Amino acid sequence: QVQYMESGGGLVQPGGSLKLSCAASRDTPIVAWYRQAPGKQRDFVAFITNLGSTNYADSVRGRFRIYRDNAKNTVNLQMNTLKPEDSAVYYCNTMPPQDALWGQGTQVTVST
């Protein structure tokens, strides 16, 4: 089965940017990013299909961009104008997500 590995998280100030990368062991029709803040449920952030169609959660639309880097075989999430409420562990998975495919995620902290 496919395996996902997330990277690129870190500490950034409000208004800053980060790029997350999701490496998959094989191509899947849809790859999505999710995030989970402490004490909250895991929420959908964005997805991209193998045809390049995308969709975003309302909370990130206009600030985040999901795209495929075919040269590196990754699905990236460019996050701009970051807010403290974007702080979470970010994961990639299929859509709908499969429990067996959750990885360790990558931590994003937006703080002064």
Side-chain angles (χ1 to χ4, degrees), residues 66-85:
I66 188 171
Y67 63 98
R68 293 182 182 270
D69 184 335
N70 292 325
K72 297 182 179 180
N73 200 26
T74 59
V75 172
N76 299 330
L77 186 68
Q78 177 66 45
M79 307 186 297
N80 299 324
T81 320
L82 283 161
K83 305 175 182 180
E85 51 264 42

Side-chain angles (χ1 to χ4, degrees), residues 6 11-13 28-29 32 34 40 42-43 47 51 55 57 60-61 64-67 80-81 100-101 103 107 110:
E6 305 90 351
L11 173 64
V12 63
Q13 292 187 346
T28 53
Y34 303 83
K40 296 188 176 181
R42 190 151 26 197
D43 290 331
F47 76 73
L51 297 180
N55 197 16
V60 307
R61 186 174 287 113
F64 291 11
R65 182 173 72 95
I66 188 171
Y67 63 98
N80 299 324
T81 320
L101 301 183
Q107 176 72 49
V110 185

Side-chain angles (χ1 to χ4, degrees), residues 14-93:
S17 298
L18 276 178
K19 186 188 80 174
L20 307 182
S21 291
C22 172
S25 57
R26 62 174 176 84
D27 288 339
T28 53
I30 300 178
V31 178
W33 281 95
Y34 303 83
R35 66 186 181 186
Q36 186 170 24
K40 296 188 176 181
Q41 67 180 18
R42 190 151 26 197
D43 290 331
F44 163 77
V45 175
F47 76 73
I48 186 166
T49 72
N50 56 1
L51 297 180
S53 297
T54 61
N55 197 16
Y56 299 87
D58 288 343
S59 59
V60 307
R61 186 174 287 113
R63 300 188 297 122
F64 291 11
R65 182 173 72 95
I66 188 171
Y67 63 98
R68 293 182 182 270
D69 184 335
N70 292 325
K72 297 182 179 180
N73 200 26
T74 59
V75 172
N76 299 330
L77 186 68
Q78 177 66 45
M79 307 186 297
N80 299 324
T81 320
L82 283 161
K83 305 175 182 180
E85 51 264 42
D86 294 318
S87 297
V89 179
Y90 284 70
Y91 303 86
C92 53
N93 203 316

